[in-house]
Amino acid sequence: MSQYPWGEATATGIGSHPGENHAEAMKVVFGELPALPYLPELPARGVGADMIGRTASLLLELPVEVQPSGWRFADRPGRDFKRARDHLVRDLDALEESAQGYEGPFKIQVCGPWTLAGAIELRYGDKTLADPGAVRDLVESLAEGIVAHVADVRRRVPGASEIVVQLDEPGLPGVLAGTVPTASGFGRLNAVDVQVAADRLRAVLPADAFPIVHCCAPDVPFKVLRTAGVRGISLDASLLKRRDEDEIGELIEAGTAFFLGVVPGVDASLPDVDVVARPAVELWRRLGFPPAGLASQVVLTPACGLAGASPAYARAALAKCRKSAQVLGEDLDRRGD
């Protein structure tokens, strides 16, 4: 039996979609990505549909509100928190209807703790990231919220063989490098220790799901993700550097899955499937791994979310990823360049 929830030659998406019609986005996801569909996110709907607000609506006993500077913790749940929660509940209701009869793995996305801590401000003061105690409280609340969210999705999609939980951490490299601006914007918050970053990330990984981390920024912190115990890493393949390959090789050898972003997240010309699959095929070859493992350990995706794309392109990009994933199932020894 495969150690991964999905079968060979699988593709999926990152999460966000253009437009405001969730039912249509759901139809596209299940239609184009039948092997690993996911719960689409539509940030164009406004407050509460964005990555930060959507995940903040999962937090337990830590209500949020929107201020001119962005999301901030509040004394009690208000209109903004309710709006974010309502968006998510409506999406889950639509999912329950769309997923009737579906059997197989299913992916959901939440914002990771470090990106969240770098975005939400405390009630009176700086960003959560500036206060280690506040970060700890956020992590504990998020961990409980993710467990409850996974359980809710399982109830609504009874045919889901396993839930893949994607933690979106585009802000993690900046957290580690000390480049996250203070709330005032005039300074930078101190860099977070690598071990602390890994420990806090590990604390939110759900035990009853398959956790992956998506980081579409340059300089993906592979060491932190490995130490945290994530089982998959999602990244933009075009940002990979040769110096990353030793760490990637160690992760692949340890069984870590890779979700490689191989088509742009915004409207662009989509090349033939062989060209789209090439980054994955060539990486696997350079690292010297047996060809048989590529199609199961690597999943193809867009480079990032599709919120900035046109609806037609979003559908085409997902279809191209699905068709290109079939290339990974071919015998690499018989392939040309």
Side-chain angles (χ1 to χ4, degrees):
M1 185 177 177
S2 173
Q3 61 180 308
Y4 309 106
W6 51 86
E8 291 191 348
T10 293
T12 192
I14 298 303
S16 65
H17 276 241
E20 301 180 30
N21 188 332
H22 192 266
E24 179 60 27
M26 194 78 72
K27 183 179 178 182
V28 169
V29 166
F30 276 94
E32 300 297 345
L33 302 167
L36 185 53
Y38 56 94
L39 182 65
E41 303 159 357
L42 281 74
R45 292 180 298 184
V47 172
D50 60 292
M51 178 177 70
I52 302 300
R54 189 176 180 87
T55 298
S57 75
L58 299 174
L59 298 176
L60 302 185
E61 299 181 359
L62 288 177
V64 292
E65 63 185 5
V66 175
Q67 295 291 328
S69 57
W71 288 96
R72 178 179 293 179
F73 287 117
D75 293 325
R76 62 187 62 85
R79 179 182 59 186
D80 299 326
F81 182 87
K82 183 178 184 300
R83 186 179 300 168
R85 189 65 195 169
D86 286 348
H87 278 312
L88 181 57
V89 170
R90 282 196 297 271
D91 291 353
L92 290 170
D93 289 342
L95 168 64
E96 189 170 0
E97 183 174 342
S98 298
Q100 289 184 17
Y102 172 74
E103 294 184 356
F106 188 78
K107 183 167 76 75
I108 58 176
Q109 307 81 222
V110 297
C111 185
W114 290 111
T115 299
L116 211 59
I120 302 179
E121 296 178 4
L122 300 170
R123 292 183 184 88
Y124 309 104
D126 214 328
K127 293 180 178 178
T128 303
L129 184 60
D131 184 338
V135 171
R136 185 171 55 249
D137 292 344
L138 172 63
V139 166
E140 291 175 357
S141 177
L142 179 60
E144 292 184 50
I146 290 174
V147 168
H149 186 38
V150 169
D152 191 9
V153 172
R154 284 191 188 281
R155 285 192 297 268
R156 293 172 181 269
V157 190
S161 54
E162 188 159 5
I163 303 297
V164 177
V165 176
Q166 173 185 305
L167 296 171
D168 291 319
E169 282 285 18
L172 181 55
V175 167
L176 296 168
T179 60
V180 178
T182 59
S184 69
F186 294 115
R188 295 289 181 269
L189 298 174
N190 291 333
V192 171
D193 177 76
V194 166
Q195 188 61 52
V196 172
D199 289 345
R200 296 288 180 260
L201 186 57
R202 184 189 304 113
V204 305
L205 301 182
D208 62 341
F210 191 99
I212 71 171
V213 167
H214 170 67
C215 183
C216 56
D219 301 317
V220 175
F222 294 107
K223 181 179 179 181
V224 170
L225 302 183
R226 183 175 185 177
T227 303
V230 305
R231 298 177 67 185
I233 298 173
S234 171
L235 47 80
D236 180 347
S238 71
L239 298 179
L240 285 178
K241 301 176 178 67
R242 289 296 179 98
R243 68 169 183 262
D244 298 325
E245 291 187 1
D246 286 344
E247 286 186 292
I248 291 173
E250 291 175 4
L251 285 159
I252 290 174
E253 195 166 17
T256 304
F258 274 84
F259 288 56
L260 294 184
V262 290
V263 299
V266 294
D267 290 36
S269 176
L270 292 170
D272 292 340
V273 293
D274 282 6
V275 176
V276 171
R278 186 174 295 163
V281 173
E282 293 187 345
L283 175 65
W284 208 258
R285 274 190 182 148
R286 285 198 302 272
L287 294 175
F289 287 104
L294 173 61
S296 58
Q297 198 165 350
V298 171
V299 175
L300 297 188
T301 73
C304 204
L306 296 166
S310 66
Y313 176 82
R315 181 190 291 270
L318 297 180
K320 184 66 72 171
C321 288
R322 171 175 49 79
K323 294 171 185 174
S324 301
Q326 298 301 317
V327 175
L328 307 187
E330 298 177 8
D331 184 348
L332 299 189
D333 288 337
R334 298 180 181 176
R335 291 184 51 79
D337 294 336

